[in-house]
Amino acid sequence: MTDADTAAPSEAFQPLGNEIRTRILTALLDDERGPRSRTFSELAETSGADTTAGFAYHLRQLTDHYLRETNDGYTLTDAGVRIARAIVSGAYTDSVDRDPVSIDDPCPFCDEDALVAAATDNTVTIDCQLCERTLLRLPFPPGGHRTHTDEMFPAALDRLYRHRVALMTDGSCPECGGASTATVGYARADSSSDSGDAVSHSDSRSDSTDKPAQLQLDCLGCGYTLNCPVTLAVLDHPAVISFYHEQDVDIRERPIWNVGREWRETILSDDPWCVRVSTEMVDEGLELLVGQDATVVSVSRF
């Protein structure tokens, strides 16, 4: 049983349209970006308000939903922490473009070292300059662009989305914490060129002659969605980790845009759905049968 105290979106966001109020919220994040308490006088000094009466008015607009009054002064509510961090990170204010950066990994299609990562309006694309394929197109927050160097940001993008795929496949949304669903189906023809959260299926090769399979991950709470190859959902499976460990390979070091040319996806059935995900190293292979909800139903060596 859960209780929710809900405010209308128009009422919740209306108090934020003032620079003094946004200063109050960010002033309550300490140097470690955690919440802290400050007195009326301390907040008034950092807010830039012209008068005490004017500051008190702005403070009242934030209290209850974004702030709460304590014996030590004022501190942020959960909603206040989230808004303050969003302000500091530039999540809703910054649009970042990034010049192309070369990536060391080879293209999974042509095997040439011609991959580049670039960003437009916070969205990263990884393309092959030789075979002119787009491997993926994914949003990356402004804070990630601002705090990661050109050399490091592709690896940060990889870590972020490996975590997101694993979390959503396991049933939790990384955006809001809501319940998420995983559904295997046929890939949409435009899945590699979505402006939303879509991972191209180009990093794993399908033995199917027509449309390949795709895993769609959806949040039931906030509507966040992510599309990816079925292969990406099994990379953290113990059988996969163990298989590659025996070959002296750490599969976790393979980026999502090229997990290895040895991977194959084969649609065995679409009613009900069953996808054979396999990999082969030297003289031994591993096969995982994946059901419609991305559950691994069978593992075998060959």
Side-chain angles (χ1 to χ4, degrees):
M1 184 70 179
T2 58
D3 294 323
D5 184 9
T6 304
S10 57
E11 295 178 2
F13 293 116
Q14 189 275 333
L16 300 175
N18 182 281
E19 187 173 354
I20 291 175
R21 298 173 198 169
T22 57
R23 285 177 187 163
I24 292 172
L25 292 173
T26 56
L28 286 167
L29 288 179
D30 65 18
D31 292 340
E32 284 73 42
R33 295 292 181 253
R36 60 176 299 178
S37 294
R38 286 196 172 189
T39 64
F40 180 96
S41 299
E42 289 173 330
L43 286 175
E45 185 177 346
T46 61
S47 70
D50 294 331
T51 65
T52 300
F55 169 73
Y57 168 77
H58 290 300
L59 195 63
R60 285 196 301 272
Q61 307 311 304
L62 295 171
T63 303
D64 292 335
H65 191 67
Y66 293 113
L67 302 179
R68 64 174 178 271
E69 190 173 4
T70 69
N71 293 333
D72 297 324
Y74 292 85
T75 190
L76 296 168
T77 63
D78 178 67
V81 170
R82 292 174 185 274
I83 286 293
R85 285 177 174 161
I87 293 169
V88 170
S89 71
Y92 302 111
T93 56
D94 296 353
S95 175
V96 178
D97 295 342
R98 197 162 198 154
D99 292 334
V101 175
S102 296
I103 296 178
D104 292 336
D105 306 291
C107 172
F109 289 103
C110 67
D111 250 357
E112 296 296 328
D113 293 328
L115 296 183
V116 295
T120 302
D121 188 22
N122 302 333
T123 299
V124 176
T125 57
I126 294 184
D127 302 294
C128 178
Q129 294 182 312
L130 193 62
C131 66
E132 299 182 343
R133 290 183 185 254
T134 296
L135 275 62
L136 59 79
R137 180 176 287 110
L138 293 168
F140 193 54
H145 285 290
R146 189 167 58 246
T147 58
H148 290 290
T149 64
D150 285 349
E151 292 75 18
M152 294 303 298
F153 100 87
L157 178 79
D158 174 54
R159 289 191 298 270
L160 176 66
Y161 278 96
R162 287 179 75 103
H163 173 70
R164 291 191 168 210
V165 169
L167 198 61
M168 294 192 78
T169 302
D170 202 35
S172 295
C173 174
E175 291 285 302
C176 74
S180 62
T181 61
T183 308
V184 174
Y186 285 112
R188 301 196 314 273
D190 64 343
S191 64
S192 64
S193 59
D194 283 354
S195 58
D197 295 325
V199 181
S200 166
H201 55 263
S202 58
D203 65 306
S204 63
R205 297 166 181 270
S206 173
D207 290 340
S208 303
T209 55
D210 20 41
K211 291 188 294 185
Q214 183 180 67
L215 178 62
Q216 180 168 321
L217 302 165
D218 297 290
C219 175
L220 302 179
C222 68
Y224 177 77
T225 186
L226 177 63
N227 301 318
C228 70
V230 180
T231 300
L232 294 190
V234 305
L235 292 182
D236 290 332
H237 192 280
V240 174
I241 300 294
S242 176
F243 176 78
Y244 275 87
H245 178 71
E246 292 171 12
Q247 308 294 329
D248 293 324
V249 175
D250 187 348
I251 189 63
R252 293 167 295 187
E253 294 181 354
R254 301 272 186 90
I256 58 173
W257 48 86
N258 189 352
V259 296
R261 293 177 62 85
E262 69 273 12
W263 285 93
R264 297 289 186 274
E265 292 182 8
T266 306
I267 298 173
L268 301 182
S269 170
D270 61 5
D271 187 21
W273 270 93
C274 182
V275 177
R276 179 182 186 262
V277 179
S278 62
T279 182
E280 190 169 358
M281 298 283 287
V282 193
D283 296 324
E284 189 173 15
L286 177 70
E287 171 188 274
L288 301 96
L289 299 186
V290 182
Q292 186 160 8
D293 63 353
T295 299
V296 175
V297 297
S298 174
V299 177
S300 60
R301 297 280 186 112
F302 62 89

